[in-house]
Amino acid sequence: MTTNGRIGRGALGVAVATLMLAMSPALHAEDFSLDALIEAAKKEGPIGVYDSTGKIVEQAENFSKKYGLQATGTKVKATASVEMAIREGQAKNIQGDVLILTDPPSSIVQLIPQGFAESWLPPDLADKIPVEYQNPLIITNSGNVWAYNTEVYDKCPVSNMWELTEPKWKGKVAMQDPLGKTSYDDWFNQMATHADDKVAAAYQDHFGKALETDEASATAAWVKALAANSPLLTDADEAAAQAAGAPGQKEPFMALISSAKFRDNEASGYKLGLCTGLKPWAGWLYPGVGLIATGTKSPNTAKLFLHYMMTEEGIAPQSADGKMSTNQDVKLPADEPSGIGAALDQMFTYNAATAADDWDARQDWQDFWRVNYKK
């Protein structure tokens, strides 16, 4: 790792950023007609949509009913979607016409520059979507949050991220394995890149002294300490959510999980609570990038589907799980179970401008975790 806690910022990052800017067309709402797009789509064939959430099946069905078109949603992990998009593009046999990927680095470094996918911004919605979410188009921000058991604790038992590295929580933190979930590696790199001072400040706030470390960054020091504190590593959020939220426990885990798992409070009787007030963040947000496969035979239908996903009606099944539309007119439902909407100011947010750096650094963060993790 380099002295600033990042790996590989430089030529690749600059090249990708330049390419993305060059790809940005001048879009004007007055030149766009949704009705014309619908009519053009009706002349095309069916589309397939890949997303990492099972809700995409319902969303594709809803789209099909609304417009009288055929869309099929398939739940596919982000890494698999990228591989499938590349293979389908090389074979000129597009099955996933629309790709919704919770993997910005792969999208920005692999798919777009290499010509396997393209970004499209609905012109009539451009003034509702912040510029940082426009190219590539980011459809949603999803939360990974720290959670605790409300049956055992009347409030979050942890107030600082560094507490999770202490003996009290040894073997009592549940999270997905960073070796299998690359968004965690991206999170590490994003913190080191954009907010390392806040990680260092949290250390001083908790321990009453400045951080002294031989590591390249305060973030690296925290990651090392967390890995050495024997967290329970899972291959999915369900096991981590159960470790923290299952009822009837005496010493439940703390867990880092998707805000979507809070629906299990009703579905499975879990007692999950959002760990608000934790310094410096109660969780972090990661984006879902919406792309159109290059070579699709139904480009207008694909565009219409992305437009639909940017509306309150289209994103509703995912909003119910706490996924937040980048369309500022679309709000989370009042009964969203995690309560993340009221804690957005406590979330670390992803900066897609340095996604290429995250891509470069993934293997290094995985190696760093592997070396320091203790069971």
Side-chain angles (χ1 to χ4, degrees), residues 106-128:
S106 292
S107 306
I108 292 172
V109 174
Q110 285 189 296
L111 296 184
I112 297 175
Q114 295 183 36
F116 293 112
E118 302 170 355
S119 180
W120 179 76
L121 173 68
D124 59 328
L125 300 178
D127 62 344
K128 305 178 187 299

Side-chain angles (χ1 to χ4, degrees), residues 144-146 274-285 339-349:
N144 260 14
V145 298
W146 291 105
L274 178 61
C275 206
T276 55
L278 192 151
K279 294 181 180 180
W281 307 284
W284 52 285
L285 304 178
I340 192 173
L344 291 180
D345 61 340
Q346 301 181 44
M347 298 293 147
F348 177 82
T349 56

Side-chain angles (χ1 to χ4, degrees), residues 29-49:
E30 61 267 23
D31 299 329
F32 174 77
S33 168
L34 180 59
D35 289 337
L37 182 63
I38 294 170
E39 288 306 309
K42 289 181 177 179
K43 299 175 183 178
E44 298 176 343
I47 61 169
V49 184

Side-chain angles (χ1 to χ4, degrees), residues 6 24 27 227 251 289 361:
R6 296 177 291 160
S24 301
L27 298 174
E251 295 183 357
V289 179

Side-chain angles (χ1 to χ4, degrees), residues 27-338:
L27 298 174
H28 303 284
E30 61 267 23
D31 299 329
F32 174 77
S33 168
L34 180 59
D35 289 337
L37 182 63
I38 294 170
E39 288 306 309
K42 289 181 177 179
K43 299 175 183 178
E44 298 176 343
I47 61 169
V49 184
Y50 298 158
D51 197 347
S52 58
T53 171
K55 294 296 181 70
I56 196 61
V57 176
E58 177 185 355
Q59 290 170 294
E61 291 173 349
N62 293 343
F63 170 86
S64 299
K65 292 176 183 177
K66 180 178 179 68
Y67 291 111
L69 301 167
Q70 185 177 344
T72 301
T74 304
K75 179 180 179 180
V76 184
K77 288 186 177 181
T79 51
S81 290
V82 172
E83 294 173 1
M84 291 165 67
I86 292 173
R87 290 200 304 269
E88 291 172 11
Q90 291 172 334
K92 301 188 184 306
N93 180 25
I94 304 301
Q95 301 298 312
D97 304 270
V98 176
L99 311 167
I100 301 175
L101 302 163
T102 52
D103 188 347
S106 292
S107 306
I108 292 172
V109 174
Q110 285 189 296
L111 296 184
I112 297 175
Q114 295 183 36
F116 293 112
E118 302 170 355
S119 180
W120 179 76
L121 173 68
D124 59 328
L125 300 178
D127 62 344
K128 305 178 187 299
I129 302 170
V131 65
E132 63 265 28
Y133 299 138
Q134 292 189 4
N135 189 33
L137 175 65
I138 292 175
I139 294 177
T140 59
N141 281 309
S142 303
N144 260 14
V145 298
W146 291 105
Y148 69 102
N149 188 300
T150 59
E151 186 178 46
V152 175
Y153 304 106
D154 58 4
K155 65 178 182 178
C156 183
V158 175
S159 62
N160 190 299
M161 66 189 296
W162 286 94
E163 288 185 55
L164 299 170
T165 69
E166 296 184 316
K168 176 182 177 181
W169 293 101
K170 184 178 179 65
K172 299 297 291 184
V173 175
M175 58 186 286
Q176 286 202 53
D177 189 344
L179 300 183
K181 190 172 179 67
T182 54
S183 62
Y184 280 33
D185 308 309
D186 298 339
W187 170 48
F188 299 157
N189 201 60
Q190 285 272 318
M191 284 194 293
T193 302
H194 299 291
D196 201 61
D197 58 335
K198 291 183 172 59
V199 179
Y203 180 95
Q204 181 157 0
D205 183 70
H206 182 58
F207 291 108
K209 59 181 180 180
L211 173 66
E212 295 182 5
T213 179
D214 293 331
E215 301 305 328
S217 64
T219 299
W222 178 78
V223 170
K224 178 179 181 178
L226 180 67
N229 213 29
S230 306
L232 171 67
L233 301 183
T234 68
D235 59 2
D237 277 343
E238 173 56 34
Q242 183 176 10
Q249 299 188 71
K250 292 183 178 180
E251 295 183 357
F253 286 65
M254 282 286 295
L256 182 61
I257 56 174
S258 167
S259 61
K261 297 309 297 179
F262 282 71
R263 63 175 178 255
D264 289 340
N265 283 350
E266 179 177 351
S268 303
Y270 286 1
K271 308 296 181 181
L272 293 168
L274 178 61
C275 206
T276 55
L278 192 151
K279 294 181 180 180
W281 307 284
W284 52 285
L285 304 178
Y286 61 96
V289 179
L291 300 175
I292 297 173
T294 304
T296 174
K297 295 180 180 178
S298 302
N300 294 297
T301 310
K303 289 179 179 179
L304 184 60
F305 189 86
L306 285 180
H307 188 284
Y308 175 72
M309 289 290 286
M310 297 305 303
T311 66
E312 183 174 10
E313 177 185 359
I315 203 62
Q318 293 190 31
S319 294
D321 287 344
K323 293 188 176 182
M324 292 153 282
S325 174
T326 58
N327 181 341
Q328 295 182 312
D329 286 352
V330 178
K331 308 301 181 184
L332 288 174
D335 59 351
E336 187 277 319
S338 76

Side-chain angles (χ1 to χ4, degrees), residues 1 6-8 105 178-186 188-189 355-372:
M1 299 178 69
R6 296 177 291 160
I7 294 108
L179 300 183
K181 190 172 179 67
T182 54
S183 62
Y184 280 33
D185 308 309
D186 298 339
F188 299 157
N189 201 60
D357 296 349
D358 301 335
W359 174 263
D360 285 348
R362 277 182 175 178
Q363 187 61 56
D364 297 274
W365 282 109
Q366 289 179 349
D367 291 344
F368 187 71
W369 181 271
R370 185 181 291 109
V371 168
N372 290 292

